[in-house]
């Protein structure tokens, strides 16, 4: 019997309703997911657009900042040389030795034994030092290259040499008060190292470097001139030969007379260039940390003193220029006078008394205080004061060295109202100046009446000796006196050396002018010290063609025979003799009527 056909399976209505209820939420979730993916895609596109276009420049700069940087290499200071090219200051590589005992493959005693003679340290001290830390022990600083090579040749494990730069002064103390020094931070602290910072320091070209993926630094772009060394140097007007002679001579006189200090200055009166500037005592700039800090100032520029009789030629020139006297004028020298209730007398009054009628030349020749008072009495105090201001008193000398001090001149009202003020100023007291300003003023006599600016810097030169870059600009010379007046004073100063108190500075065959000075030393609180004095001498040569001014000032020499003529004049003579040789100055033509 055939089987009846089966009816296809049909889901019950209730079950179909249940399935529909389950399928509806799934479709809704798919729609939501689709919408989310579309929105996410749009957001990603917006973000990509923002990164690629809006923030592209910022992100690129950020990447460069993280991956590349510019390296500024160490630039050594330029050398300083004298006028002949002799090096006065330069940079040199030095090394610091470190010990790492944990890396020693020999005993500390064995390493100390080999190291001791190379660095001049005792073996026990080194062994003790090696026991202070396991690593990174500083052993010695400022080792020279030859010592570095000797240490490396030992081939000892656990020793490390780190290179650095050091400023070195091969002339030791010869130019200390001029060149100065740099400290451990490589900053100039005195002298030209301080005042000429812009000329001595320079910026080496920077190099751009990149980091590799491992973090290592590699060159990326080297400027064409990066490997070129700066061959420039700062050249001075000073002469090492003359400087050495001046210092040795000054030291001998300071020792002989047990003096406190002294200075010697040589200036070319044509342009103010200094050939010598010596101050004693001094210090070694390679070991500046051992010196008294007071020595870092050059007292020839920073300390004031009363010039005494060395200022008398300046006063005579003022009186001549003002027309109140002539070279042939005569004055009566009583030996001692009273001015405003104050006594004024000549230095030799007790032994010589008054000289009677004397000429202006004899006033300088005998260094007569009374004669100078009578000369300057012809000039009204207000006019006299104006002349002192005109020649620069009350101002500082614009030299290219630091720590200069302005000269001191009393207020005009005091000078005009009190007759003793112009009287004491007549023989160089009652006001104060620096030795460098005294040189400048006598340079005015030597060059025909012009005030020039003393200076020690010649300029920045390359290795071929050619000027490079910005050179020093000096103030133009200022005409203050007429050549006629200054020439007359030079003739008088020549008589001082040939016949008067300056005979100790005479040199056979040469016409030399000069003036001695022995002045009381002023107290900081007023008045004068009982025994304290400053002796000095100014020399000008040659008188027939005046060019060089030589000044020596000695502070507080001891002894009954300590005067400008005995202490300072011999120094000036020795320096002038050396100057004649160095500059090849020919003998002077004799004066008319002179054999």
């Amino acid at each position: 019997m055939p089987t009846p056909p089966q009816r296809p399976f049909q889901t019950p209505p209730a079950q179909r309703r249940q399935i529909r209820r389950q399928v509806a939420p799934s479709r809704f979730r798919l729609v939501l997911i689709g919408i989310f993916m579309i929105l996410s895609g749009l957001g990603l596109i917006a973000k990509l657009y923002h990164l690629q276009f809006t923030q592209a420049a910022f992100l690129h700069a950020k990447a460069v900042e993280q991956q590349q940087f510019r390296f500024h290499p160490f630039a050594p200071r330029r050398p300083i040389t004298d006028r002949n090219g002799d090096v006065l200051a330069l940079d040199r590589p030095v090394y610091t030795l470190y010990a790492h005992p944990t890396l020693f493959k020999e005993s500390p005693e064995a390493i100390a034994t080999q190291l001791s003679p190379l660095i001049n340290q005792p073996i026990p001290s080194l062994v003790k030092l090696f026991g202070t830390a396991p690593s990174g022990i500083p052993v010695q600083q400022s080792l020279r290259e030859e010592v570095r090579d000797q240490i490396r040749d030992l081939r000892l494990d656990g020793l490390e040499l780190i290179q650095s730069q050091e400023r070195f002064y091969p002339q030791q103390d010869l130019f200390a008060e001029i060149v100065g020094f740099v400290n451990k931070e490589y900053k100039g602290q005195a002298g030209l190292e301080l005042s000429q910072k812009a000329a001595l320091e320079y910026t080496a070209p920077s190099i751009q470097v990149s980091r590799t993926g491992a973090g290592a630094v590699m060159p990326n772009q080297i400027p064409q001139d990066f490997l070129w060394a700066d061959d420039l140097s700062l050249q001075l007007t000073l002469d090492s030969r003359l400087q050495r002679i001046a210092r040795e001579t000054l030291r001998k006189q300071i020792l002989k007379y047990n003096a406190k200090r002294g200075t010697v200055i040589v200036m070319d009166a044509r342009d103010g260039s200094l050939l010598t500037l010596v101050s004693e005592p001094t210090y070694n700039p390679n070991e500046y940390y051992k010196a008294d800090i007071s020595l870092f100032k050059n007292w020839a520029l920073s300390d004031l003193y009363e010039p005494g009789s060395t200022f008398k030629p300046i006063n005579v020139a003022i009186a001549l220029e003002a027309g109140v006297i002539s070279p042939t004028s005569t004055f009566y020298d009583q030996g001692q006078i009273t001015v405003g209730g104050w006594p004024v007398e000549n230095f030799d009054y007790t032994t010589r008394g008054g000289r009677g009628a004397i000429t202006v030349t004899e006033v300088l020749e005998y260094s007569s205080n009374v004669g100078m008072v009578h000369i300057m009495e012809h000039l009204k105090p207000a006019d006299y004061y104006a002349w002192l201001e005109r020649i620069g008193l009350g101002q500082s000398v614009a030299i290219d060295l630091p720590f200069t001090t302005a000269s001191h001149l009393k207020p005009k009202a005091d000078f005009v109202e009190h007759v003793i003020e112009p009287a004491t100023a007549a023989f160089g007291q009652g006001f104060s100046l620096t030795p460098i300003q005294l040189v400048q003023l006598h340079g005015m006599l030597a060059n025909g009446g012009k005030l020039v600016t003393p200076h020690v810097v010649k300029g920045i030169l390359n290795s071929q000796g050619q000027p490079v870059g910005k050179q020093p600009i000096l103030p133009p010379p200022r005409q203050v006196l007429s050549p006629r007046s200054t020439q007359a004073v030079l003739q008088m100063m020549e008589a001082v050396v040939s016949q008067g108190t300056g005979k100790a500075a005479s040199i056979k065959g040469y016409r030399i002018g000069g003036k001695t000075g022995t002045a009381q030393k002023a107290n900081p609180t007023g008045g004068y010290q009982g025994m304290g004095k400053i002796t000095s001498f100014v020399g000008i040569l040659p008188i027939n063609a005046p060019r060089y001014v030589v000044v020596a000032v000695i502070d507080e020499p001891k002894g009954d025979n300590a005067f400008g003529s005995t202490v300072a004049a011999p120094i000036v003579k020795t320096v002038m003799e050396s100057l004649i040789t160095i500059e090849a100055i020919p003998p002077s033509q004799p004066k008319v009527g002179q054999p």
Side-chain angles (χ1 to χ4, degrees):
M1 182 172 179
T3 304
Q6 296 182 354
R7 297 179 60 186
F9 176 78
Q10 292 182 353
T11 305
Q15 190 174 1
R16 287 198 299 271
R17 287 192 298 271
Q18 181 68 26
I19 292 174
R20 283 196 296 270
R21 284 195 297 269
Q22 293 176 352
V23 171
S26 298
R27 288 176 179 172
F28 179 72
R29 283 195 294 270
L30 288 175
V31 172
L32 289 178
I33 291 172
I35 294 173
F36 175 77
M37 293 182 65
I38 292 173
L39 293 177
S40 298
L42 292 175
L44 180 61
I45 292 173
K47 184 66 175 178
L48 289 174
Y49 177 84
H50 178 68
L51 293 175
Q52 292 289 339
F53 296 96
T54 306
Q55 287 193 311
F58 170 77
L59 294 175
H60 179 267
K62 197 74 173 177
V64 170
E65 180 182 348
Q66 294 175 351
Q67 300 169 10
Q68 300 180 3
F69 66 94
R70 300 197 71 83
F71 171 69
H72 293 274
F74 173 80
R77 295 170 77 91
R78 293 186 175 115
I80 302 175
T81 67
D82 77 345
R83 66 173 183 166
N84 300 312
D86 294 337
V87 178
L88 311 183
L90 76 160
D91 277 31
R92 66 176 182 180
V94 292
Y95 299 84
T96 300
L97 175 63
Y98 290 90
H100 307 283
T102 56
L103 303 178
F104 286 174
K105 293 184 178 180
E106 299 183 31
S107 67
E109 291 78 8
I111 292 179
T113 301
Q114 300 177 68
L115 200 58
S116 174
L118 302 183
I119 61 176
N120 297 319
Q121 286 198 36
I123 295 174
S125 298
L126 288 174
V127 173
K128 183 178 180 181
L129 184 64
F130 294 155
T132 57
S135 183
I137 303 172
V139 179
Q140 183 111 339
Q141 297 180 341
S142 301
L143 295 173
R144 298 293 305 276
E145 290 181 300
E146 55 267 25
V147 179
R148 174 208 63 182
D149 295 339
Q150 292 172 341
I151 294 174
R152 286 180 175 176
D153 291 342
L154 296 177
R155 300 185 180 279
L156 297 173
D157 292 321
L159 298 181
E160 181 184 19
L161 289 159
I162 303 298
Q163 180 179 335
S164 60
Q165 291 292 121
E166 179 184 74
R167 195 67 163 168
F168 179 59
Y169 304 94
Q171 306 288 348
Q172 304 294 322
D173 61 357
L174 185 58
F175 288 92
E177 61 268 52
I178 300 164
V179 173
F181 66 94
V182 296
N183 61 13
K184 294 297 184 182
E185 287 73 37
Y186 224 62
K187 302 296 182 182
Q189 299 297 298
L192 294 171
E193 296 281 22
L194 174 62
S195 66
Q196 300 299 309
K197 174 184 176 181
L200 293 171
E201 295 181 355
Y202 68 98
T203 303
S206 61
I207 176 174
Q208 183 172 306
V209 296
S210 299
R211 293 186 178 90
T212 63
V217 176
M218 62 179 183
N220 184 46
Q221 178 185 358
I222 301 179
Q224 183 179 2
D225 58 350
F226 177 72
L227 299 178
W228 295 1
D230 187 332
D231 66 344
L232 305 183
S233 62
L234 184 70
Q235 190 172 52
L236 309 184
T237 62
L238 301 164
D239 191 294
S240 296
R241 299 165 296 177
L242 196 61
Q243 182 87 354
R244 184 170 289 104
I245 292 167
R247 188 175 295 282
E248 291 175 355
T249 306
L250 177 62
R251 281 176 174 169
K252 289 179 181 178
Q253 288 295 85
I254 289 177
L255 182 62
K256 180 179 179 180
Y257 288 93
N258 193 24
K260 178 181 178 181
R261 58 184 180 176
T263 184
V264 177
I265 307 172
V266 180
M267 186 182 78
D268 187 334
R270 299 178 307 173
D271 58 5
S273 57
L274 299 182
L275 281 69
T276 290
L277 177 53
V278 170
S279 294
E280 281 287 337
T282 187
Y283 65 99
N284 184 349
N286 294 310
E287 299 177 336
Y288 66 88
Y289 43 84
K290 296 181 179 179
D292 188 324
I293 60 174
S294 64
L295 299 178
F296 298 157
K297 291 194 305 180
N298 188 335
W299 79 270
L301 315 177
S302 63
D303 289 11
L304 301 175
Y305 79 107
E306 296 188 0
S309 296
T310 54
F311 199 81
K312 289 175 180 176
I314 308 298
N315 278 327
V316 171
I318 289 174
L320 289 171
E321 190 70 17
V324 296
I325 66 169
S326 71
T328 58
S329 298
T330 59
F331 301 89
Y332 192 80
D333 179 7
Q334 302 97 318
Q336 185 185 52
I337 58 175
T338 300
V339 180
W342 295 87
V344 174
E345 65 180 30
N346 297 334
F347 76 97
D348 59 355
Y349 174 69
T350 56
T351 58
R352 179 64 176 79
R355 286 191 167 83
I358 57 175
T359 64
V360 181
T361 299
E362 290 173 325
V363 169
L364 294 183
E365 186 179 321
Y366 302 136
S367 198
S368 170
N369 291 341
V370 173
M372 283 304 308
V373 172
H374 290 326
I375 288 175
M376 301 314 294
E377 282 176 343
H378 286 69
L379 194 61
K380 293 179 180 180
D383 294 338
Y384 184 16
Y385 192 89
W387 271 106
L388 294 177
E389 288 185 315
R390 194 175 306 172
I391 64 175
L393 290 189
Q395 305 171 26
S396 60
V397 177
I399 193 172
D400 43 15
L401 287 166
F403 310 133
T404 57
T405 301
S407 51
H408 180 262
L409 188 61
K410 292 183 179 179
K412 184 177 180 179
D414 293 344
F415 194 89
V416 172
E417 293 175 8
H418 302 92
V419 293
I420 189 60
E421 296 300 338
T424 54
F427 50 87
Q429 299 207 239
F431 65 92
S432 56
L433 45 67
T434 57
I436 192 64
Q437 189 165 25
L438 183 69
V439 173
Q440 182 190 42
L441 293 175
H442 278 273
M444 175 181 64
L445 299 181
N447 64 25
K450 295 185 289 291
L451 275 179
V452 295
T453 302
H455 62 279
V456 298
V457 175
K458 182 177 181 180
I460 300 176
L461 308 182
N462 60 19
S463 56
Q464 288 76 42
Q466 300 169 333
V468 176
K470 187 177 180 181
Q471 299 297 315
I473 300 177
L474 298 173
R478 181 164 61 90
Q479 191 77 42
V480 179
L481 303 173
S482 67
R484 181 178 179 180
S485 298
T486 58
Q487 183 60 33
V489 175
L490 291 178
Q491 299 293 331
M492 300 174 191
M493 294 177 71
E494 184 178 9
V496 173
V497 175
S498 62
Q499 305 175 53
T501 58
K503 289 180 180 179
S506 63
I507 300 174
K508 186 177 180 180
Y510 289 87
R511 295 176 59 189
I512 295 170
K515 186 67 192 77
T516 55
T518 305
Q520 292 176 286
K521 191 171 182 181
N523 275 321
T525 56
Y528 292 93
Q529 298 180 13
M531 298 298 293
K533 57 185 174 182
I534 295 183
T535 60
S536 54
F537 187 84
V538 179
I540 298 176
L541 83 154
I543 289 298
N544 52 296
R547 178 175 177 182
Y548 298 104
V549 178
V550 184
V551 169
V553 181
I554 312 297
D555 189 5
E556 294 188 17
K558 309 298 190 298
D560 296 334
N561 193 38
F563 300 99
S565 58
T566 57
V567 180
I571 298 175
V572 172
K573 177 180 180 178
T574 301
V575 173
M576 288 193 299
E577 288 174 333
S578 302
L579 182 62
I580 288 170
T581 301
I582 292 172
E583 294 295 302
I585 302 174
S588 302
Q589 294 295 325
K591 295 169 65 176
V592 177
Q594 182 182 23

